[in-house]
Amino acid sequence: MKILKLPKERLDLFASVVQQFGELHAPVQQDGKYVFKPLTRWSEARLEYDRTILPPKKYFLPPRETLFRYSPGAGFEPCTEGLDQRIILFGVHACDVFALNILDRVFAGRYDDPYYQTRRKNIAIIGIDCTPDRHCFCRSMRADFVDSGFDLFFYDTGECYQVLVGSALGDDMVMAAGSVFQAVDAADIENYKQRSADKRSAFELEVEIRDLPEIFEMEYQSEIWKELGEKCLSCGSCSMVCPTCYCFDVADSVELGSRAGTRQRSWDSCLFANHARVASGENFRGPRASRIKFRFYHKQRGFVAEYGRPSCVGCGRCISACPVNIDVVHVIDRLREVQDVARR
Ligand code: SF4
Ligand code: SF4
């Protein structure tokens, strides 16, 4: 992998060059929080941010989208509007890139999803390193560093950004910017190592995930699930903000007096009361306790069995979004009954 450096005073110039590769989107401040949005000018971008309200998954799996239209005469016609739009997503944190790599395994693995895959091809990712806050535990989830799934990745090393080139497109961006990128020297490497050590020691939260699937297996009947079921509001916020929750619902919208219509999909949540209800009216996860238990088991147990690692990347969004303070780290700590595993 090619590693270069970009002096910070040349970042504006690079941002102007990179716009030839697509519409530039980055985190901007909104009501005291951060959201990924198209930029009207580069100065709106906030590259030092804690976390965006919604993760980058909203670009690849939009909250609502029309999949196809149908009519008795024309049959099925896929809706591809906007799929080929070239976007540069600037300032994606490592955990969110890691989350996209996880979504790739779901939507570009055993089950091919052409909508997701086309967007993944057309949306470039420029990642940026970050400093953990009190809700971050990505290091415990082995998602504080990524070596794939991005085109460029920026590390702040003081006066420069050290830049990993992760794809041919990233290389094209670097080439288009010409001499603004320079070779790294021994001092840059030392700066990087110091920055990496500083970041490691900045984590306030730690979770032990080795043997966690086994602990979950043993604690299936734990009273914790009942307690959480009594507390949870089933609002679904934790799923909506999660970079790796990918459940969706599919519904047809049929034009009145005709057999033509459209089929849409929209984000769903396993916390919603109707999520597991089937046509006969049977609900496989009626009680709230079984729904919240399912979310935890799918993230930390089921995904490990299917894909070899938990689907949680430790971004902390569900902790900061939950209106009743249900905290994944605290739940894992209680399941282990070892109070010194997680610390704040
Ligand atoms: S479960 Fe929570 S901490 Fe884990 S990836 Fe999802 S939102 Fe982030
Ligand atoms: S955000 Fe909290 S209250 Fe809402 S569904 Fe998730 S766990 Fe339950």
Side-chain angles (χ1 to χ4, degrees), residues 301-319:
R301 170 78 187 89
F303 210 84
V304 180
E306 190 146 9
Y307 294 103
R309 61 149 292 134
S311 64
C312 174
V313 294
C315 71
R317 283 189 180 88
C318 58
I319 302 174

Side-chain angles (χ1 to χ4, degrees), residues 76 149 276 325:
F76 295 89
N325 301 320

Side-chain angles (χ1 to χ4, degrees), residues 135 137 141 238 241-245 295 299-300 311-319 328:
H135 293 319
F137 59 104
M141 303 313 293
C238 48
V241 301
C242 179
T244 62
C245 273
R295 182 167 192 273
K299 291 270 173 214
Q300 310 289 355
S311 64
C312 174
V313 294
C315 71
R317 283 189 180 88
C318 58
I319 302 174
V328 52

